Amino acid sequence: MRYQNTPVVLWSNWRLKTAITKTFISTNMCGIVGYIGNGNVYDILIKGLHRLEYRGYDSAGIALVGNDGNLKVYKAKGKVSNLEDYCKDKSLEAGVGIAHTRWATHGEPSDCNAHPHYSEDGNLALVHNGTIENYKVLKDALIQHGCKFHSETDTEVLVQLIEYIKVKNNCSLVDAVREALNQVVGAYAIAVIEKDHPDTIVAARQSSPLVIGIGDDETFLASDATPFVEYTKDVVYLKDEEIAVIKKGEPLRILNLDNRESTIDVKTLELSISQLEKGGYPHFMLKEIFEQPITLRDCIRGRIIEGGAKINVNGINDNKDIFLNAKRIVIVACGTSWHAALLGKYLIQDMCRIPVEVEYASEFRYSNPVLDDRDVVIAISQSGETADTLAAAMIAKRMGAFVFGISNSVGSSIPRETDSGTYIHVGPEIGVASTKAFTGQVMVLTLLALGIAQLKGTMPQEKIAEIGEEVLRIPDYVEKVLKLNDEIEHLSLIYTYARNFLYLGRGYSYPVALEGALKLKEISYIHAEGYPAAEMKHGPIALIDAEMPSVIIAPNDHLYEKIVSNVQQVKARGGSIIAIVTEGDTEIKNIADHVLEVPAMPECLTPIITSIPLQLLSYYIAINKGKNVDMPRNLAKSVTVE
Ligand code: M6R
């Protein structure tokens, strides 16, 4: 993401000047995909759109140029399957094509506002992920020059602008794209095709991801590599202000906005097709919940050595002095990642005795933060693309703090823009509700805290080794907890029609309560609130009655006796209780209506285990209600809008 702190003056060539002072540019979500080659263009693009649907599913569309020289654009409101239905009786023959799945920002979800957008003369079609912030002024100028618009989108302005410049300057598509992008303020990943040149795609990026896949006699492009992973592992991540010229039968060329050639840095993908399929599960969310023993093993691998005694997290070892001298750690994140961040605070404070603050990235970025070069800022983001988290990280970097990223997406913006960091290595998470990424984030934060504690000597080595050994057993504990599946499925039937839920926990179990409530809300649309259990008596206890179930996370930790009395307080007011307890629990078992038992382990590791029954509970309640758990309404996986 680019930081611009000076006014950008546009339009010198149109004699229309506007000064726009920008801070950070945020992108919208959406997924784009493009293909040129001898394969079945339509099939490749549709399959690619399905893989990118996690980025938005308000509408989808496709543009194809056939050997007959016709540009065909088909679009449909709603999911990609609607587009497929619409295309059933259409002419789909093509040698090149681009496609789009949309999360609406400018203009409601509709057929008309769906991408691809095309120029008025029907010569160009364009797909766009991003936001053109000066689109109104551009649109007015184009209207003055006789352009007519059909949609409410910022994207249509861009395609009309490119066509206008192309005709006016009588230039090539790539020159027109470059000229247009020099006039645009905003974020974009775009792909453009031209009716008269069916051998070329021009693509470009600024602040929105775009990756090019290079195959044998075929080239792909997409918002991430998932649409083409089965065809090629050779990829080029386009950088900001770069334009790719993809021409059939010719090597890829990359130019920058000044028309200078860039070097092409081909990387090899570490992603397999099986990671992108449901593997026999009815939903990605369930698959991802059940993958956790494997993903946690992958996450831990190589980071604990000598049987638990040595913590080996690269990002820390490479920056020892920074972590040794940090006067404060600030963690910025959103949503589920914020819940992991809150656990990070408890872990780091407990183990490393460094003060930690946890901030919603969206608040932090506008809060006039106080930071200096002895602060470490940790930015946590599964996708690595969340606009607020990225902006918060950039502000922190600009203020001199050392910025450390924790992400799951290799090559995404946060890993690229931060000073150092580490991956959680849990593989692609496709279900919109985060599950395996949460446990991966918490695991990495646990290792980070243990690693810093080992460096600083703030914990006895025997204690580190004891916890380290237990960390190595976590995947086995998770396997055991997953055996609660049938019991939880059965339990979910009792609670499917509850209209509200409370989730309560103390200490390490409080962030787990917040995460459990978020999971239920986002996929079942049931109102749920997470609370520190002891806060109940300061107000929320008034809500308790027979209609208000509470999920209480109460493992056998140092606050156990305290939470027992909170459980009693809820019971005394007639509320029903589902409790997550440690195996062998007797006290809460006698009070709660239902208990789910998890294995005993050190207190700091309980969140990884206690969160899993909550993931399953929300999954089954949502399924009982007939909800689409992988694509809940109004949400998208990568939140690249403010
Ligand atoms: O990709 P990120 O971790 O930055 O995403 C942050 C949130 O948007 C994300 O965790 C969201 O809250 C999930 N839908 C939760 O399941």
Side-chain angles (χ1 to χ4, degrees), residues 334-337 380-386 389 432-434 441 515 518-519 522 635-637 639:
C334 302
T336 287
S337 299
I380 307 179
S381 173
Q382 185 285 130
S383 61
E385 299 292 348
T386 297
T389 311
V432 165
S434 187
Q441 289 165 339
E515 175 58 10
L518 177 62
K519 281 299 78 95
E522 68 182 328
L635 293 177
K637 186 76 185 156
V639 184

Side-chain angles (χ1 to χ4, degrees), residues 153-216:
T153 65
D154 52 336
T155 303
E156 191 184 2
V157 176
L158 186 53
V159 69
Q160 301 277 29
L161 176 62
I162 295 169
E163 180 64 17
Y164 175 85
I165 293 169
K166 196 171 172 299
V167 171
K168 182 169 158 269
N169 296 353
N170 190 21
C171 62
S172 67
L173 177 60
V174 61
D175 286 342
V177 167
R178 189 178 55 253
E179 169 80 29
L181 294 181
N182 273 313
Q183 306 211 20
V184 151
V185 175
Y188 50 78
I190 58 164
V192 199
I193 55 173
E194 190 178 14
K195 188 173 78 174
D196 298 338
H197 292 94
D199 59 348
T200 306
I201 305 178
V202 175
R205 76 154 269 174
Q206 170 66 49
S207 305
S208 288
L210 193 61
V211 55
I212 296 167
I214 302 172
D216 294 334

Side-chain angles (χ1 to χ4, degrees), residues 190-438:
I190 58 164
V192 199
I193 55 173
E194 190 178 14
K195 188 173 78 174
D196 298 338
H197 292 94
D199 59 348
T200 306
I201 305 178
V202 175
R205 76 154 269 174
Q206 170 66 49
S207 305
S208 288
L210 193 61
V211 55
I212 296 167
I214 302 172
D216 294 334
D217 297 326
E218 57 185 357
T219 308
F220 307 79
L221 66 88
S223 301
D224 67 36
T226 57
F228 54 76
V229 63
E230 66 260 57
Y231 306 106
T232 180
K233 299 264 192 264
D234 292 337
V235 299
V236 175
Y237 292 97
L238 214 61
K239 299 193 195 79
D240 279 351
E241 302 193 346
E242 282 186 339
I243 301 175
V245 185
I246 302 164
K247 204 158 182 188
K248 204 168 178 181
E250 289 186 16
L252 172 69
R253 285 178 66 213
I254 297 184
L255 310 165
N256 65 20
L257 289 186
D258 297 331
N259 207 20
R260 278 178 288 119
E261 294 269 343
S262 298
T263 46
I264 294 184
D265 179 15
V266 181
K267 300 234 183 309
T268 306
L269 272 185
E270 285 177 25
L271 182 67
S272 71
I273 187 69
S274 62
Q275 291 176 296
L276 305 176
E277 288 170 348
K278 289 188 195 145
Y281 287 92
H283 300 97
F284 282 108
M285 182 179 176
L286 193 62
K287 177 192 175 216
E288 286 158 7
I289 292 173
F290 272 86
E291 267 176 355
Q292 288 174 107
I294 300 169
T295 57
L296 285 164
R297 257 182 213 112
D298 290 343
C299 177
I300 297 164
R301 185 168 300 118
R303 288 169 165 170
I304 296 206
I305 50 181
E306 298 169 18
K310 178 105 186 77
I311 312 301
N312 181 37
V313 179
N314 279 342
I316 311 176
N317 294 343
D318 307 342
N319 299 287
K320 277 189 189 144
D321 288 345
I322 287 167
F323 284 102
L324 274 173
N325 298 323
K327 75 169 193 300
R328 179 176 64 150
I329 292 179
V330 180
I331 316 183
V332 292
C334 302
T336 287
S337 299
W338 189 90
H339 299 149
L342 195 55
L343 282 164
K345 170 183 167 130
Y346 290 24
L347 289 159
I348 295 169
Q349 288 195 167
D350 258 6
M351 297 184 189
C352 319
R353 308 308 297 143
I354 302 174
V356 181
E357 287 167 25
V358 179
E359 302 264 4
Y360 287 110
S362 53
E363 290 298 314
F364 174 88
R365 63 184 291 194
Y366 295 113
S367 67
N368 199 7
V370 180
L371 288 173
D372 64 36
D373 60 4
R374 287 198 52 208
D375 287 310
V376 171
V377 171
I378 301 179
I380 307 179
S381 173
Q382 185 285 130
S383 61
E385 299 292 348
T386 297
D388 286 322
T389 311
L390 185 54
M394 297 294 284
I395 289 171
K397 206 167 149 185
R398 190 162 50 94
M399 293 183 77
F402 177 80
V403 184
F404 188 89
I406 297 180
S407 181
N408 190 33
S409 306
V410 178
S412 59
S413 300
I414 287 178
R416 277 207 314 270
E417 300 293 346
T418 43
D419 294 307
S420 178
T422 196
Y423 287 109
I424 59 173
H425 292 307
V426 300
E429 189 180 66
I430 294 168
V432 165
S434 187
T435 53
K436 64 176 181 174
F438 174 72

